[in-house]
Amino acid sequence: MVFLYLEACIVKIDLLQQLRNDNPMVLNIANSVTQSDVANGLAALGASPLMTNYDTELKTLTQMTGGVCVNIGTLDDRQNSISNNLMELATEFNKPLVLDPVGIGAVPERLEVVEDLLRIAKPTIIRGNAGEVASLVGAAWSSKGIDSLDKGQTQDVSEMAQACAKKFSCVVVVTGETDTIATADKIAKVYNGTPMFKTHVGTGDMLSSILSAFAAVSEGDFYEAAKVGCLVFSLAGEIVMNDYPEIGPSEFGIKLIDKLYQITVDDVEEWGKYDD
């Protein structure tokens, strides 16, 4: 086992190589706006993406998959029903389940949908921005559409993430300028990243599915899976903008996928910024 030591913490960074060796399938209920980015990001990193909106095949696919990601980015009644069924099946077949509660910080109807989903099954990992996670624990936070308005907020993100982890008995990832990864009794931070993540729509969706891929190869250590997934993804974006500081959001999206294909354990060992 290869470990990365950063500021007195240990990260099982060889999960990146394990993912590439195992090529886990990730079954997605995807945001229709971003599903191409999600599929290409997963494939570039070394996983095998599969999107579905066909309820008849859900049981078969859930048994086949390594991990599941449910993203509520583009809601309709049919997708809600499929999401309900898939979360039940992921629990039945003991598959890692990532829930991405897109936009619930700003839209109460979305929050109602997610609360219904969470009554059906408990996810392995919840991945959201601060506004979305705040909504799950009743904390005050400002949001606008899919975006969390973090400037000037006084709520402690670590406390909020940990409260959410305790409430739903899962790992919680709060993404932002710094990524926070929490369980009921542990907190970690990833400091790599770039502001371009907020400008190119779909990077959060991509990360959620990537977390499912890492969870699939983690042998049940979902906290480590979330830490490594955040570290690899955030560093990939940071490297892109360091190498190409003049590019805009469209080119960033293309180069991010390329960097997910190229990033190595050595890159993470050299440039990763992380503590817990």
Side-chain angles (χ1 to χ4, degrees):
M1 180 68 72
V2 178
F3 296 101
L4 173 62
Y5 291 81
L6 288 170
E7 303 195 20
C9 73
I10 302 174
V11 186
K12 297 177 183 176
I13 193 58
D14 67 338
L15 284 177
L16 173 58
Q17 192 57 52
Q18 190 68 47
L19 187 155
R20 288 171 171 159
N21 291 343
D22 291 359
N23 184 229
M25 189 176 101
V26 178
L27 179 60
N28 296 271
I29 300 291
N31 182 339
S32 63
V33 175
T34 63
Q35 61 182 335
S36 177
D37 280 350
V38 169
N40 284 312
L42 281 168
L45 192 61
S48 178
L50 183 62
M51 278 58 181
T52 184
N53 59 3
Y54 183 43
D55 50 5
T56 304
E57 68 179 358
L58 287 181
K59 185 173 183 178
T60 299
L61 293 180
T62 306
Q63 292 176 83
M64 293 168 54
T65 195
V68 171
C69 183
V70 173
N71 181 303
I72 70 153
T74 44
L75 288 176
D76 59 44
D77 290 338
R78 184 167 178 271
Q79 180 170 307
N80 295 353
S81 175
I82 293 172
S83 297
N84 289 345
N85 293 341
L86 183 55
M87 288 187 65
E88 288 180 330
L89 288 165
T91 301
E92 178 182 348
F93 295 111
N94 197 30
K95 302 294 183 175
L97 169 62
V98 177
L99 177 63
D100 189 334
V102 180
I104 65 170
V107 185
E109 291 80 5
R110 285 175 175 262
L111 178 58
E112 290 176 8
V113 168
V114 169
E115 288 174 337
D116 287 343
L117 290 174
L118 288 167
R119 280 189 281 269
I120 289 168
K122 292 292 189 290
T124 306
I125 300 171
I126 295 173
R127 201 291 312 167
N129 61 38
E132 290 160 350
V133 173
S135 293
L136 292 174
V137 294
W141 203 278
S142 297
S143 298
K144 182 179 181 181
I146 64 172
D147 295 322
S148 175
L149 304 179
D150 298 344
K151 188 175 181 180
Q153 301 289 346
T154 58
Q155 181 80 23
D156 183 87
V157 172
S158 295
E159 291 179 1
M160 192 166 64
Q162 201 151 45
C164 189
K166 290 176 181 177
K167 181 176 181 179
F168 297 109
S169 302
C170 68
V171 178
V172 172
V173 174
V174 183
T175 48
E177 183 176 347
T178 298
D179 291 344
T180 300
I181 304 97
T183 69
D185 57 3
K186 291 180 283 190
I187 290 282
K189 302 277 188 179
V190 170
Y191 299 103
N192 297 102
T194 168
M196 193 62 78
F197 280 138
K198 288 194 72 171
T199 307
H200 182 83
V201 174
T203 54
D205 298 350
M206 199 186 304
L207 174 58
S208 293
S209 290
I210 284 172
L211 293 178
S212 185
F214 276 104
V217 300
S218 71
E219 297 182 344
D221 194 341
F222 303 125
Y223 180 61
E224 285 299 324
K227 290 192 292 185
V228 176
C230 288
L231 186 58
V232 169
F233 188 77
S234 297
L235 179 59
E238 181 178 296
I239 292 172
V240 168
M241 292 311 298
N242 286 343
D243 290 347
Y244 304 98
E246 303 302 320
I247 63 173
S250 179
E251 193 171 356
F252 172 74
I254 295 168
K255 291 189 180 299
L256 175 61
I257 290 170
D258 288 343
K259 183 52 63 177
L260 289 170
Y261 178 77
Q262 297 161 351
I263 196 167
T264 65
V265 169
D266 288 344
D267 291 330
V268 182
E269 288 178 333
E270 183 171 3
W271 303 109
K273 292 177 285 190
Y274 178 100
D275 65 27
D276 69 355

